[in-house]
Structures are given as C-alpha cells and as structure tokens.
C-alpha cells in the first residue's frame, strides 16, 4: 500500500485538538486528515523552562516538532515542497488557529461554516453543535494568545510559531531557532529490507507485537482497503482510523488511479454511500445476552449470537439470531455493548473478515512503520530533524522566504495569529522574577525566583513546580497576586 494517506484540504487544521474532536464525532463523511490522538506522535520537547530541577509530576506540555521536508539545500521553500505536519498538543492544548480573517476571534467557526456543502445528511445536528462549540473554544484560546503576544512586552521571554512543517522559536521578537523535519518514504522492497537490517530494535518490536488481543498495541492502528462498486464503476477505498483517507478508480485501461487531492473531498461527498460502506465493519459476537422487545413491547434479555455493523463507534444495524434489530433494540445494544463497540476497528483485521489490510505503527518523532499481518515491515516513513540556529543561516532562510518573514513580523507586532499558523509553548517572566510556563491559555508551572518551603519540602530558586506545589505556593497574597497578574494577560 503506497503512502499518501490522510488526503484533505484541511491542512494545518488537522492537528488542532479541538477541531479534530469535532471531526471525530459521529459524522464519518465529514472528512479531515486522520492522525488523531490515538496516532499521536511525540518527540523530545524544546522548552524554555529549565526542567533539570523539576520536582513534580510532568504537567501538560506542547511538543514543538513538526513534519516537513525540503529538497532545497539553500533553505528556499519555493524549490522544495514542505510536507505539512502539525504541532501535537497534550493536556490543555493550543487550539489557536484563525482562518480567513486575522484577529477577529471567529476563525475556526468561519472555517466550519465553509463546510456546509456537505449538507445536513452527512453532518448531523448534534455533531454540528459539537463542532461549533469546539470552534468557539479554539477561538477563545486564540484571542487569549493574541493578548499576551501584544501585551507581554519584554517579559514574554520565548514562544514557538508553527507553519507548514516548520517551527520558529521566537525570542525578543525574532526567531532564534528554526526547526524543520525532512521526511523520506521508503517503499521499495530492497530499500525496506536494508532499513530493517539497520534498525533491529524496531524490527524486533514489531515482531513481538500482540495483534489478536482486545485492542491493538499502543501506537498501532488498522488500515484496510476495500473495492466497492457504484453502478458500473468500481472504487478502491482505503480506511484508517475509521475514515476513508484514500480513493482510487480504474481508468479505461483497467489501471488503478488515485483520486487527486484537490478532488478528494468532492469524491467523498459524491460517493457518500460507498464511503459509508467502506467505513462500516462487521463482526459477530457469540453466546451473548441481548435485550430484545417481547410481545408486550418490553426489552428482555435473550441469549444468542449478535452480528453488528459498526461505523464511527456507532451500531448502524445488527442481527440477533438471524433477525434484524429495531431502533429501540439498537439503542439498548449500543449502551450495553459500548466496550465491544468501542473496540471495532482497533483489533486485528481478520476479526472483520478483511483480506486486504495492514497495520500502521506511529513512533515517537513522527516515524511511521507499516507492516502486514505476518508482521513483515512493508513501508517506512522516516523523519529527520533539522535545526537552524546560526544567526546568518536564519537570516538567509528568512530572506529566501519573505512571505513567512512578513507573517512572523505581523504576529510579533499585532498578536494576530495568521491563517495556518500556530503558537506553541511560552515562557513569561513576571516583574518579580518568577518564570511562568504557558501552554495555550493555561499556566502549567513556574520556575521559582527564590528558595521556599512548600508542604514541608524545601525548594531552591530555579526549581520548577506545578500541581499541588503550585497551589501551595499561591496561598500567600504576594504570590497569588503575581500569578493572577500573568493570568489576566490570558483573558
């Protein structure tokens, strides 16, 4: 199976946690790039706060590593297409994109409204409301981030701006570090075999995976392909994480041709029936007690075999002992078998009678390893980080990418988050000397400006605290006022 998964024009919104939450609600044909939380990729974190003396459990943080590749050695974007990636956010998260209009606090909602073309049949009312609420939350966070960029002044020590596979670490209103990732797809049998020989740890890890349990191993997801007819036409649809992410059709010569990226959303919209069929998995559970309506119209338990058809975590139809279930019975089934239904699509492909399937193992750092049912690695997407820290190299990069430089200057001067950009972890030093670690519109922790004893435990200046120790630290009026002053910048 060739690479090219997660085709969509949503682009950099795809890794926004709020937006992906809306996309992952039950509306399987409202397509977005896959790579959901269960496929989250993490890498060593760049943080302005020195964590060498941290004494508490880790707090929510931002991973500022982004997927990207450039074929140019002179840092010019125009000569090498950067592969769009995303800032993967944990905990409170940074849903801070603004689309279509800068600084108006309604970016994501406007973007959401742009998808009305899908129609109410494909996007249910409840899902629509969830998405709108998620958009409101994201825009609230965006507005708060704008405030601290505009009003933080010299106290705003450092923060990260992300755009299309690049990360810019900002300090004093200028980038002091540019982080990119070079992405290489290895899919030829000879090259894959060579990679496997050079990476025995990954090879052994894949070989030792248990695929027949109730859930696939952490970081592993099921990918499968089905051929589904639409009249005289036959389509090949690839599904990952419960959504069609790739489609192909046969040309006159009988050769399979992938649907182009700019035509993919239209294809999904125009072939809703086939998409639903591809995304629906069927499995039979034997010897189960299922609630069935009796002659008096009451739900009573009966034992037997239940065949379920599940899509997007919801039962769309079911047969019990050969008889189709009624809506009220389906509702009871959804509730009583929520655990089993939740596992659909997260188990071995053979459990659903699939014949053309494989597994996708997403590792830390963004590397992706694909392997078949016999655990043979068939495809690898390797990722290499590249940091630009030299001042002259940074200046050279910005000169060759003037449009990005203009947008960076705009964000620094106005605080407005331009379309397609994100803001990462921030560090803010208050007038008292306390350094605050900020993620989105939340304060995750602080670096102490002086020694102190909290809960009977001594801390020295420079120690990082969070959780209960941060709460204890705030009990004094002086410390709480300092904390509140920083928090006010995020309102």
């Amino acid at each position: 199976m060739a690479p090219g998964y997660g085709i969509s024009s949503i682009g950099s919104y795809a890794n926004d946690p709020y937006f992906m939450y809306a996309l992952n609600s039950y509306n399987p044909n409202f397509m977005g790039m896959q790579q959901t939380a269960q496929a989250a990729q993490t890498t060593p974190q760049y943080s302005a706060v020195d964590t060498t003396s941290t004494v508490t459990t880790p707090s929510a943080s931002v991973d500022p590593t982004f997927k990207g590749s450039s074929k140019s050695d002179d840092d010019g974007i125009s000569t090498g297409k950067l592969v769009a990636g995303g800032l993967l956010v944990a905990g409170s998260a940074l849903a801070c994109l603004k689309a279509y209009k800068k600084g108006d606090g309604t970016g994501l909602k406007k973007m959401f409204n742009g998808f009305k073309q899908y129609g109410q049949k494909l996007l249910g009312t409840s899902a629509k409301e969830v998405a709108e609420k998620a958009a409101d939350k994201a825009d609230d966070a965006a507005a708060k981030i704008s405030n601290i960029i505009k009003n933080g002044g010299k106290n705003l020590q450092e923060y990260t701006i992300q755009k299309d596979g690049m990360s810019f670490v900002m300090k004093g209103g200028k980038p002091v570090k540019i982080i990119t990732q070079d992405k290489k797809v290895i899919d030829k049998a000879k090259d894959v075999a060579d990679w496997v020989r050079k990476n025995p740890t990954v090879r052994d890890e894949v070989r030792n995976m248990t695929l027949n349990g109730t859930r696939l191993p952490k970081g592993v997801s099921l990918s499968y392909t089905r051929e589904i007819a639409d009249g005289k036409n036959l389509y090949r649809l690839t599904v990952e994480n419960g959504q069609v992410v790739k489609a192909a059709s046969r040309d006159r010569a009988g050769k399979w041709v992938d649907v182009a990226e700019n035509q993919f959303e239209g294809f999904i919209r125009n072939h809703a029936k086939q998409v639903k069929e591809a995304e629906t998995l069927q499995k039979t559970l034997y010897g189960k007690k299922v609630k069935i309506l009796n002659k008096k119209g009451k739900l009573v338990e009966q034992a037997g075999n239940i065949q379920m058809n599940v899509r997007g975590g919801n039962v769309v139809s079911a047969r019990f002992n050969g008889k189709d279930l009624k809506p009220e019975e389906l509702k009871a089934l959804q509730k009583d078998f929520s655990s089993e239904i939740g596992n659909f699509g997260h188990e071995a492909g053979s459990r659903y009678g699939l014949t053309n399937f494989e597994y996708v193992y997403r590792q830390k750092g963004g590397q992706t390893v694909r392997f078949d049912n016999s655990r043979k690695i068939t495809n690898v997407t390797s990722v290499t980080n590249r940091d630009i820290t030299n001042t002259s190299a940074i200046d050279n990069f910005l000169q060759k990418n003037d449009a990005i430089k203009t947008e960076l200057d705009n964000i620094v001067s106005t605080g407005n988050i331009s379309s397609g950009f994100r803001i990462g972890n921030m560090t803010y030093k208050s007038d008292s000397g306390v350094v605050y670690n900020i993620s989105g519109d939340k304060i995750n922790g602080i670096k102490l400006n002086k020694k102190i004893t909290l809960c009977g435990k001594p801390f020295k200046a420079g120690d990082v605290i969070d959780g209960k120790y941060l709460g204890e630290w705030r009990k004094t009026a002086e410390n709480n006022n300092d904390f509140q002053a920083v928090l006010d910048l995020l309102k």
Side-chain angles (χ1 to χ4, degrees):
M1 198 176 291
Y5 305 88
I7 303 171
S8 173
S9 65
I10 293 175
S12 59
Y13 297 98
N15 288 306
D16 187 289
Y18 290 118
F19 185 59
M20 289 308 296
Y21 174 76
L23 286 181
N24 288 326
S25 59
Y26 178 50
N27 45 76
N29 297 298
F30 182 49
M31 301 302 296
M33 286 182 71
Q34 50 93 28
Q35 309 287 334
T36 59
Q38 71 183 44
Q41 307 155 0
T42 56
T43 54
Q45 177 178 318
Y46 179 87
S47 175
V49 177
D50 179 8
T51 58
T52 56
S53 55
T54 303
V55 230
T56 62
T57 55
S59 59
S61 59
V62 174
D63 180 344
T65 304
F66 311 99
K67 300 177 182 177
S69 67
S70 173
K71 296 182 181 179
S72 169
D73 292 329
D74 61 0
D75 301 321
I77 294 178
S78 60
T79 59
K81 182 179 179 182
L82 288 163
V83 180
L87 178 64
L88 297 174
V89 184
S92 60
L94 289 180
C96 54
L97 289 167
K98 287 194 175 183
Y100 304 123
K101 184 177 180 181
K102 300 175 182 177
D104 65 353
T106 58
L108 286 179
K109 184 176 287 186
K110 286 190 175 183
M111 185 192 72
F112 173 81
N113 289 337
F115 287 97
K116 285 183 178 178
Q117 58 180 313
Y118 287 95
Q120 195 61 30
K121 290 184 179 179
L122 298 184
L123 181 60
T125 302
S126 60
K128 181 175 183 291
E129 291 173 351
V130 169
E132 288 180 332
K133 290 178 181 178
D136 286 338
K137 290 182 179 180
D139 287 315
D140 287 344
K144 292 172 182 178
I145 291 170
S146 293
N147 288 339
I148 195 167
I149 292 177
K150 287 186 290 188
N151 305 321
K154 62 181 179 60
N155 289 25
L156 182 58
Q157 293 189 320
E158 193 166 296
Y159 57 98
T160 302
I161 299 175
Q162 180 263 336
K163 167 68 175 178
D164 287 348
M166 296 170 290
S167 175
F168 301 87
V169 180
M170 308 297 292
K171 194 170 184 178
K174 297 180 179 180
V176 296
K177 183 177 183 181
I178 299 175
I179 306 170
T180 66
Q181 285 191 337
D182 293 327
K183 186 176 181 181
K184 181 181 179 182
V185 176
I186 304 170
D187 54 6
K188 293 182 179 179
K190 181 179 177 299
D191 296 334
V192 173
D194 183 58
W195 185 93
V196 171
R197 283 193 297 270
K198 293 178 180 178
N199 295 271
T201 301
V202 178
R203 176 199 63 199
D204 294 342
E205 193 175 352
V206 170
R207 285 179 179 175
N208 294 326
M209 285 182 177
T210 300
L211 303 177
N212 294 317
T214 55
R215 297 278 292 192
L216 292 172
K218 184 178 180 181
V220 177
S221 58
L222 174 65
S223 174
Y224 62 89
T225 299
R226 280 178 169 167
E227 293 183 7
I228 296 177
D230 179 10
K232 295 182 180 180
N233 299 316
L234 186 65
Y235 300 105
R236 182 176 284 175
L237 304 178
T238 300
V239 179
E240 286 187 11
N241 298 318
Q243 292 184 328
V244 171
V245 296
K246 184 181 178 183
S249 60
R250 277 182 171 168
D251 61 14
R252 292 181 178 179
K255 181 181 178 181
W256 288 105
V257 179
D258 291 343
V259 174
E261 182 175 350
N262 62 356
Q263 298 175 347
F264 184 73
E265 289 179 3
F267 176 90
I268 294 297
R269 183 171 63 251
N270 296 327
H271 298 84
K273 180 180 178 181
Q274 288 71 35
V275 168
K276 289 180 179 180
E277 185 178 345
E279 293 173 346
T280 300
L281 291 173
Q282 184 182 97
K283 185 172 67 172
T284 300
L285 304 180
Y286 299 93
K288 297 294 182 179
K289 291 183 178 180
V290 179
K291 290 179 181 176
I292 302 296
L293 291 171
N294 62 15
K295 294 181 179 180
K296 296 181 179 180
K298 292 185 177 181
L299 290 169
V300 295
E301 282 189 346
Q302 294 186 29
N305 303 330
I306 180 73
Q307 182 188 79
M308 290 188 280
N309 294 307
V310 174
R311 183 178 70 248
N314 290 270
V315 178
V316 293
S317 63
R319 290 176 65 83
F320 179 71
N321 291 340
K323 181 181 178 182
D324 292 335
L325 266 61
K326 299 176 180 178
E328 190 174 347
E329 294 169 331
L330 287 174
K331 185 177 180 180
L333 183 70
Q334 180 79 38
K335 179 181 178 181
D336 296 339
F337 287 80
S338 59
S339 178
E340 292 88 343
I341 293 169
N343 286 336
F344 266 69
H346 305 293
E347 304 166 289
S350 56
R351 295 196 175 191
Y352 308 101
L354 299 172
T355 55
N356 187 359
F357 65 92
E358 64 179 2
Y359 300 96
V360 185
Y361 178 33
R362 294 178 175 84
Q363 299 178 291
K364 291 181 178 180
Q367 180 168 275
T368 300
V369 177
R370 292 177 180 270
F371 58 95
D372 60 23
N373 197 45
S374 63
R375 298 175 183 78
K376 178 184 177 182
I377 296 175
T378 59
N379 180 294
V380 177
T381 301
S382 63
V383 177
T384 304
N385 291 326
R386 189 166 73 98
D387 296 348
I388 304 173
T389 55
N390 181 274
T391 302
S392 60
I394 291 175
D395 290 341
N396 182 55
F397 180 95
L398 295 176
Q399 287 175 9
K400 293 180 180 297
N401 300 287
D402 185 63
I404 286 184
K405 181 180 184 302
T406 299
E407 291 298 341
L408 292 176
D409 291 341
N410 174 68
I411 292 173
V412 170
S413 61
T414 67
N416 293 331
I417 316 301
S418 308
S419 175
F421 285 77
R422 292 175 181 266
I423 303 298
N425 245 21
M426 294 182 171
T427 54
Y428 180 91
K429 188 175 183 178
S430 68
D431 292 336
S432 69
V434 176
V435 177
Y436 290 78
N437 189 17
I438 301 169
S439 178
D441 57 352
K442 307 292 183 184
I443 296 174
N444 287 339
I446 65 170
K447 182 189 287 187
L448 295 169
N449 60 334
K450 58 185 177 182
K451 64 179 181 180
I452 191 174
T453 298
L454 301 171
C455 301
K457 183 178 179 65
F459 294 91
K460 61 181 182 296
D463 280 350
V464 176
I465 63 170
D466 60 11
K468 71 173 184 178
Y469 293 112
L470 180 57
E472 187 69 18
W473 178 83
R474 290 184 60 190
K475 285 185 177 180
T476 67
E478 178 185 0
N479 293 340
N480 189 60
N481 289 339
D482 192 77
F483 184 95
Q484 195 62 45
V486 177
L487 200 61
D488 287 344
L489 289 171
L490 298 171
K491 293 182 177 180

